[in-house]
Amino acid sequence: MANDAGVRRSSMREVARAAGVSVSTVANVLSRPAIVAPETRRRVEQAIRHMGYVRHGPARQLRGLPSPIVGSVILDLANPFFAELNRGIEDRLAEAGCLVLACSTDLQPAKERQVLDLLEEQAVRGVIIAPIGPDPAVLLEMSRRGTPVVLVDRPRDGLDLCAVGVDDVLGGRLAAEHLLSLGHRRIVYLGGTFETGTVIRRREGVRQAMRAAGLDPDDLLIDLRLPIHPPPLVEAAAAGVQQILAERPLPTAVLCLNDTAALGVLHGLGVAGVKVPQDISVVGYDNLAFAAGLAPALTTVNQPKYQLGRAAADLLLDEARPDHAHREIRFRPSLVIRASTAPPRRA
Amino acid sequence: MANDAGVRRSSMREVARAAGVSVSTVANVLSRPAIVAPETRRRVEQAIRHMGYVRHGPARQLRGLPSPIVGSVILDLANPFFAELNRGIEDRLAEAGCLVLACSTDLQPAKERQVLDLLEEQAVRGVIIAPIGPDPAVLLEMSRRGTPVVLVDRPRDGLDLCAVGVDDVLGGRLAAEHLLSLGHRRIVYLGGTFETGTVIRRREGVRQAMRAAGLDPDDLLIDLRLPIHPPPLVEAAAAGVQQILAERPLPTAVLCLNDTAALGVLHGLGVAGVKVPQDISVVGYDNLAFAAGLAPALTTVNQPKYQLGRAAADLLLDEARPDHAHREIRFRPSLVIRASTAPPRRA
DNA sequence: ATGAAAGCGCTAACAG
DNA sequence: CTGTTAGCGCTTTCAT
């Protein structure tokens, strides 16, 4: 009751006593002020101000009001892609008076489980999640138990949930088609030792583009995988440059799993004295704020990060409506050609 | 009770009925399993699993247990500085089983107020805040009413609150001393039309360094202010380059309010054909992940972002201890010299 | 227009 | 070891 500073929130009962009315009148002043006599209302409002009374959310929730809190469970909030996505969620929710409980899972399934349990215990309004693994069982159960779940970056696949995402296969295809049309025939796909569905689907898009061009992906594509979690991705990518340069014949282009990895690769290549794009072309993914400012400016695939977040929040809020039907919203990525790609040296 | 899908959480009473025991036995199984007879416990646990029972946090809170939720109120979660700070908060809180309710204020006092009210209503465990304005009155009241408040990026100044921060004056001084020692005597301080205390204090540090060198800040320092919120800071900074180049005599160095602004300035200077660092030196602030990867690599002032967050969470968690005493933790920034600074052309 | 009362799901004495 | 009981602070009929 009393916290350790000896302070205690005042309750409605105390306000009521101070104003000389009943608790229900205080409740009315707060929830339907119109039905309270002006003079009574004035007295109650004054008491509220005077005592610094603040409504107790958990108690209201216990009475059946919906929680204003929505959980956002994503891979890493410090990753600018997710940070911006999260801003989209936050802003859309704010319009509905809701707040975001943001949780990073760092690709660790145990963390994901733990956070989901906590969120369900808190009886949040719902959860928006970019799941680590492909198994939706836990999420379906949560949803069945009454906590709405919206998927991000994972296709709906007929699941009984809402989903928002970007067409990753298309994104991979766009990037690959660009390189192929420049004449590249020896291309590294720089992925991770542990990959989310998005990265896997993009690689599939890359292979698709090659097949569509009448080429054999197994000949053209070199799969390299960075250790993801420690060390920081920029450094892992910079270190990965050694592996790229060790390939024979030397690759002429690198498709990176995201812009941060591309940043590391650019740096590593610079240190190694390899010129971009003259010696090697580099393509990023995400189109983060810094991509245009790099030297050379980074060719990359743009994703509507903020809009993804807004859309996810939209769907989540819609779950409260009686006529809600689960659905999927899918955005299209787009290629942004800048200065880090060019035809290979001797085409 | 029932949400719109017609689902309802099962309650302890239902579990108790299903297991043929009383609610308190179920409660015991959950909170002090040791005192329950093994056979009874087994039955109860099975019922819990079978019904998918999940404890109801708000009800527990109503009984006096502390909320596991901590509010984090910062300027902008999509700003990498705050995103990383927030990860520090999140990780430290996770160790204590707590979650972060993250809110961006976008420098709008109205948003800050609104979010603080919501957090207090939710009866969160406490609030970590990088306040927009200098007036601590609302925060002191919240704290007095029983919601602990920890200040970030704002000096404690004897307030009855905990605070964590970085020595901003020192940060400004380090940056300025570096430029002065290179021989620069015409320096732009690129701030904002609306500035937080941190930016103001850094400018003060810059002036201090000049005075300490026996120079007059009013002669050397050119104050330029970027419109902060829209448009995006990178673009605002790129546009600000026009103003820099319009100054006569031409400045030889630019101190930017952060790395993102520096990125924009670098870009704008590049477009204008001005060479960095030969024609103009550029210094950032924060040492974000991309700073080292820029061309030229950015000289900047490092702040321990993640550690700041951890320290803030530490202090907040400590507020629950009976012997807690408010205190301040202050970190030291450090200068990271890279390639974007050099002596002015004709010294 | 106001008040009395029931009860949301849970915890913590206390009794047995 | 298990059950009974009394609320926590609030919303919401239903009387008055």
Side-chain angles (χ1 to χ4, degrees):
Chain A
M1 321 295 75
N3 85 3
D4 304 270
V7 241
R8 243 200 76 216
R9 297 169 78 103
S10 39
S11 73
M12 249 180 172
R13 228 191 14 240
E14 291 162 330
V15 173
R17 183 144 16 91
V21 297
S22 72
V23 281
S24 30
T25 296
V26 178
N28 282 335
V29 168
L30 258 22
S31 303
R32 312 120 85 181
I35 76 162
V36 180
E39 164 55 15
T40 314
R41 186 164 76 209
R42 211 196 43 69
R43 257 183 17 246
V44 172
E45 281 166 347
Q46 181 181 318
I48 287 176
R49 256 194 313 279
H50 183 250
M51 314 177 59
Y53 169 76
V54 178
R55 289 199 318 210
H56 194 270
R60 306 184 74 205
Q61 215 178 318
L62 193 52
R63 284 295 330 205
L65 303 196
S67 164
I69 299 179
V70 171
S72 163
V73 181
I74 66 203
L75 300 187
D76 176 14
L77 251 184
N79 173 330
F81 171 79
F82 288 108
E84 206 173 314
L85 182 124
N86 210 64
R87 276 306 312 254
I89 296 178
E90 187 190 345
D91 290 357
R92 177 61 188 92
L93 288 182
E95 293 168 11
C98 291
L99 298 167
V100 196
L101 203 40
C103 317
S104 305
T105 58
D106 291 323
L107 288 176
Q108 294 172 231
K111 258 190 181 173
E112 182 177 281
R113 277 300 291 260
Q114 201 182 323
V115 152
L116 287 173
D117 286 349
L118 267 171
L119 289 173
E120 192 171 359
E121 270 199 18
Q122 289 314 302
V124 296
R125 174 84 138 266
V127 169
I128 295 171
I129 179 171
I132 298 176
D135 181 5
V138 197
L139 302 173
L140 287 170
E141 275 161 31
M142 251 184 102
S143 166
R144 212 155 356 91
R145 271 184 242 118
T147 302
V149 173
V150 171
L151 260 20
V152 173
D153 261 1
R154 193 224 179 270
R156 186 172 170 212
D157 274 350
L159 292 178
D160 201 17
L161 300 172
C162 282
V164 312
V166 176
D167 187 337
D168 299 312
V169 176
L170 174 58
R173 227 166 55 211
L174 290 172
E177 282 167 0
H178 171 58
L179 290 179
L180 291 175
S181 75
L182 286 172
H184 291 274
R185 292 295 180 273
R186 187 124 179 100
I187 300 173
V188 171
Y189 186 86
L190 198 65
T193 44
F194 184 102
E195 294 183 338
T196 53
T198 49
V199 177
I200 295 172
R201 287 189 294 275
R202 289 179 212 157
R203 183 189 288 110
E204 184 44 38
V206 170
R207 300 176 68 90
Q208 238 178 53
M210 291 174 170
R211 275 187 245 110
L215 301 164
D216 182 356
D218 293 329
D219 283 358
L220 273 59
L221 198 63
I222 305 167
D223 253 317
L224 245 46
R225 295 182 133 88
L226 261 22
I228 293 282
H229 212 61
L233 186 52
V234 218
E235 293 166 28
V241 164
Q242 294 316 315
Q243 293 177 57
I244 296 174
L245 297 179
E247 292 289 335
R248 285 299 173 274
L250 206 64
T252 63
V254 185
L255 288 168
C256 303
L257 78 165
N258 65 26
D259 285 355
T260 303
L263 176 68
V265 167
L266 245 32
H267 190 73
L269 289 173
V271 169
V274 178
K275 297 272 175 266
V276 176
Q278 297 86 337
D279 300 329
I280 289 192
S281 287
V282 175
V283 180
Y285 209 102
D286 286 348
N287 192 26
L288 300 185
F290 63 74
L294 298 185
L298 188 66
T299 293
T300 188
V301 177
N302 182 63
Q303 307 203 67
K305 306 160 271 291
Y306 184 82
Q307 290 306 327
L308 264 174
R310 286 198 71 95
D314 260 340
L315 289 177
L316 192 317
L317 290 169
D318 191 71
E319 299 259 1
R321 297 182 37 174
D323 60 335
H324 175 82
H326 293 319
R327 64 181 180 283
E328 176 162 30
I329 297 181
R330 174 165 293 253
F331 291 85
R332 291 173 65 89
S334 60
L335 182 69
V336 182
I337 300 177
R338 292 199 269 246
S340 66
T341 47
R345 214 173 241 307
R346 20 187 305 93
Chain B
M1 323 299 77
N3 85 3
D4 303 272
V7 241
R8 242 200 76 215
R9 298 168 77 102
S10 40
S11 73
M12 251 183 172
R13 224 184 26 234
E14 290 162 330
V15 173
R17 184 145 14 93
V21 298
S22 73
V23 282
S24 35
T25 296
V26 177
N28 282 336
V29 168
L30 257 22
S31 303
R32 313 118 86 179
I35 75 163
V36 180
E39 163 56 14
T40 314
R41 186 164 76 209
R42 209 195 44 69
R43 257 184 15 249
V44 172
E45 281 166 346
Q46 182 182 317
I48 287 177
R49 256 194 315 278
H50 183 250
M51 314 178 58
Y53 169 76
V54 178
R55 291 201 309 212
H56 194 269
R60 306 184 75 205
Q61 215 178 317
L62 193 53
R63 284 297 328 207
L65 302 197
S67 165
I69 299 179
V70 170
S72 163
V73 181
I74 66 204
L75 301 188
D76 175 15
L77 251 184
N79 173 330
F81 171 80
F82 288 108
E84 206 172 314
L85 181 125
N86 210 63
R87 275 306 310 255
I89 295 178
E90 186 190 346
D91 290 357
R92 176 63 188 90
L93 288 182
E95 292 168 10
C98 291
L99 297 167
V100 196
L101 204 38
C103 317
S104 305
T105 57
D106 292 322
L107 288 175
Q108 294 172 230
K111 258 190 180 171
E112 182 177 281
R113 277 300 291 257
Q114 200 181 325
V115 152
L116 286 173
D117 286 349
L118 265 171
L119 289 173
E120 192 171 0
E121 271 200 17
Q122 288 314 299
V124 296
R125 170 86 70 93
V127 169
I128 295 172
I129 179 171
I132 297 175
D135 182 5
V138 196
L139 301 174
L140 287 170
E141 276 162 30
M142 249 184 105
S143 166
R144 210 152 359 89
R145 271 185 240 117
T147 302
V149 173
V150 171
L151 260 21
V152 173
D153 262 0
R154 195 226 179 266
R156 187 174 168 210
D157 274 349
L159 292 178
D160 201 17
L161 301 172
C162 282
V164 313
V166 177
D167 187 337
D168 299 312
V169 176
L170 174 58
R173 226 165 57 210
L174 290 173
E177 282 166 1
H178 171 56
L179 290 179
L180 291 175
S181 76
L182 286 172
H184 292 275
R185 292 295 180 273
R186 186 125 180 98
I187 300 174
V188 171
Y189 186 86
L190 198 64
T193 43
F194 183 101
E195 293 184 337
T196 54
T198 48
V199 176
I200 295 173
R201 287 190 294 276
R202 288 180 212 156
R203 182 188 289 111
E204 184 45 37
V206 170
R207 300 177 67 92
Q208 237 179 55
M210 291 175 169
R211 276 186 244 110
L215 301 164
D216 182 355
D218 294 328
D219 283 358
L220 274 60
L221 198 62
I222 306 165
D223 253 316
L224 245 46
R225 296 182 132 89
L226 261 23
I228 293 280
H229 212 61
L233 185 52
V234 218
E235 292 166 28
V241 164
Q242 296 315 317
Q243 293 176 57
I244 296 174
L245 297 179
E247 292 289 333
R248 286 297 173 271
L250 206 63
T252 63
V254 184
L255 288 168
C256 304
L257 79 165
N258 64 26
D259 285 355
T260 303
L263 177 67
V265 167
L266 245 33
H267 190 72
L269 289 173
V271 169
V274 178
K275 297 272 174 265
V276 177
Q278 296 86 337
D279 301 329
I280 289 192
S281 286
V282 175
V283 180
Y285 208 103
D286 286 348
N287 193 25
L288 300 185
F290 64 73
L294 299 183
L298 188 66
T299 293
T300 189
V301 177
N302 183 63
Q303 308 204 67
K305 305 162 272 291
Y306 184 82
Q307 291 306 326
L308 265 174
R310 286 198 70 96
D314 260 340
L315 289 177
L316 192 318
L317 290 169
D318 192 71
E319 299 258 0
R321 299 184 36 174
D323 60 335
H324 175 82
H326 292 320
R327 64 182 179 283
E328 176 162 31
I329 296 181
R330 175 166 292 253
F331 291 86
R332 290 174 65 90
S334 60
L335 183 69
V336 182
I337 300 177
R338 291 199 270 245
S340 66
T341 46
R345 215 173 240 310
R346 18 189 303 93

